[in-house]
Amino acid sequence: MTDTVDKAPASSVPPEQIKAIPVRHYGRWVAGALVIAIVVLIGIAFSNANINYGVIPDYLFDPGIVSGAWTTLYISVLAMLLGVALGIVLAVMRLSSNPVTSTVSWFYIWFFRGTPVLVQLLLWYNISLVFPILNLGFYKNEMNQVMTPVLTALLGLGLNEAAYMSEIVRAGIQSVDEGQTEASHALGMTQGQTLRRVILPQAMRVIVPPTGNEFINMLKTSSLAYAVQLPELIKKATDISSTSLAVVEMYFVACIWYLFLTTIFSIVQYYVERRYARGSTRSLPATPLQKIRANVAKMNLFSLSNWRR
């Protein structure tokens, strides 16, 4: 006969469910309400200001404004190209074992990073006080005729940018492992070939992001060329405001154009950074278009599940 073990009957009362009480973040509500209140107050202040917002669309595509925006764009591109090219040279000089070239590079960076851009523009604009005549042997002319507003802005902005770009390039070069250089030399490459074919391509991942930021900053810094009579966006907006008497309104027009240009190049910068990040990350971040598609797909899936219910 098999012994049976009496089992205690299971309790018919279900266990009490745990009731989770979410943590209340009162500070977030207070901070959010405070931010909304400040935004509303600022909006009310601007809406009650003595500003004729209706004329802003009328001048947004004025031929003078469009011409100024184009001048801002191309002087920024030219100055950035000059800054990048000279910055690479200065970075190589700074990393050189030659004490003369490294000292000259250090002094250049020290001077141009330590003085305001506006002062540098004004110095170039009045360079004829130092060199009245430009004599290159094959070309001779008065310096006042040579230093046009375009050339003044190009030198003032480009040479100043070179000081910052040299530090960016130097940081990018130093981010590459020294073993890459040793391996290149073991394969018989010269110092120049190693720099062009091995070091700089790998350093681009570090160089590109701050370079994009520098160009976006250059778009706005170019407004200082107004002081040397360059017909860029601010100069054109100021000229129009002197005849239309819409001073603040024209500044709003200039702000809209600056926001448009910086937004376009911010998008370009994002895709360039994404391209150079392919070798450093396993999965690339989603593009804005891919994010939009993913959100739309989630919304469609959510609506479909609700419809089935």
Side-chain angles (χ1 to χ4, degrees):
M1 177 175 154
T2 306
D3 295 336
T4 58
V5 179
D6 295 335
K7 295 183 179 179
S11 176
S12 60
V13 180
E16 184 179 357
Q17 294 182 353
I18 299 176
K19 185 178 180 181
I21 300 176
V23 180
R24 292 178 174 84
H25 301 279
Y26 297 105
R28 296 181 183 178
W29 289 97
V30 173
L34 183 61
V35 170
I36 292 175
I38 293 174
V39 172
V40 170
L41 290 175
I42 293 175
I44 293 174
F46 273 91
S47 62
N48 294 331
N50 188 20
I51 299 174
N52 186 7
Y53 294 102
V55 303
I56 293 178
D58 299 335
Y59 288 102
L60 198 57
F61 296 100
D62 184 88
I65 294 295
V66 175
S67 173
W70 171 248
T71 302
T72 294
L73 180 59
Y74 86 77
I75 199 64
S76 299
V77 172
L78 291 179
M80 196 67 197
L81 290 176
L82 176 61
V84 170
L86 185 56
I88 294 174
V89 175
L90 289 170
V92 174
M93 291 173 60
R94 182 78 182 274
L95 295 172
S96 174
S97 57
N98 189 327
V100 177
T101 56
S102 61
T103 302
V104 170
S105 176
W106 178 89
F107 182 81
Y108 180 99
I109 296 169
W110 169 78
F111 176 80
F112 281 93
R113 288 205 310 173
T115 54
V117 183
L118 181 59
V119 174
Q120 296 173 28
L121 286 168
L122 294 175
L123 287 175
W124 282 109
Y125 194 61
N126 296 281
I127 197 66
S128 60
L129 298 176
V130 182
F131 303 102
I133 303 295
L134 177 65
N135 189 357
L136 301 177
F138 60 90
Y139 178 80
K140 183 178 181 181
N141 199 354
E142 295 184 0
M143 189 61 77
N144 284 331
Q145 301 297 323
V146 176
M147 294 302 296
T148 61
V150 174
L151 183 59
T152 301
L154 177 61
L155 292 176
L157 297 173
L159 296 182
N160 177 79
E161 183 60 35
Y164 293 91
M165 283 305 307
S166 66
E167 292 297 279
I168 293 174
V169 174
R170 182 172 67 89
I173 293 175
Q174 290 180 332
S175 69
V176 180
D177 189 81
E178 294 182 359
Q180 300 287 332
T181 303
E182 296 173 357
S184 301
H185 291 168
L187 293 174
M189 289 187 180
T190 62
Q191 190 70 27
Q193 291 174 335
T194 301
L195 181 65
R196 293 192 309 270
R197 299 180 182 180
V198 178
I199 304 300
L200 284 180
Q202 296 184 59
M204 290 300 290
R205 179 175 55 86
V206 178
I207 295 173
V208 167
T211 302
N213 292 333
E214 286 294 317
F215 179 72
I216 292 173
N217 185 60
M218 177 67 74
L219 286 170
K220 297 174 291 183
T221 307
S222 63
S223 61
L224 295 176
Y226 161 79
V228 295
Q229 304 303 311
L230 181 71
E232 44 77 51
L233 187 55
I234 294 296
K235 181 69 166 59
K236 289 292 186 179
T238 305
D239 292 343
I240 295 175
S241 66
S242 62
T243 56
S244 64
L245 301 181
V247 179
V248 178
E249 291 83 353
M250 295 311 302
Y251 289 149
F252 275 106
V253 171
C255 287
I256 292 173
W257 271 100
Y258 279 119
L259 286 172
F260 172 75
L261 292 175
T262 53
T263 301
I264 293 298
F265 284 100
S266 296
I267 296 173
V268 174
Q269 177 190 358
Y270 173 83
Y271 281 97
V272 173
E273 290 182 15
R274 190 173 183 272
R275 175 179 176 81
Y276 281 102
R278 290 182 301 177
S280 59
T281 57
R282 293 184 178 181
S283 60
L284 295 176
T287 64
L289 185 58
Q290 290 173 343
K291 292 180 181 178
I292 293 174
R293 289 176 178 174
N295 292 330
V296 171
K298 289 180 181 179
M299 292 175 61
N300 292 337
L301 183 61
F302 179 74
S303 61
L304 181 60
S305 62
N306 289 338
W307 178 77
R308 289 179 177 177
R309 291 177 184 178

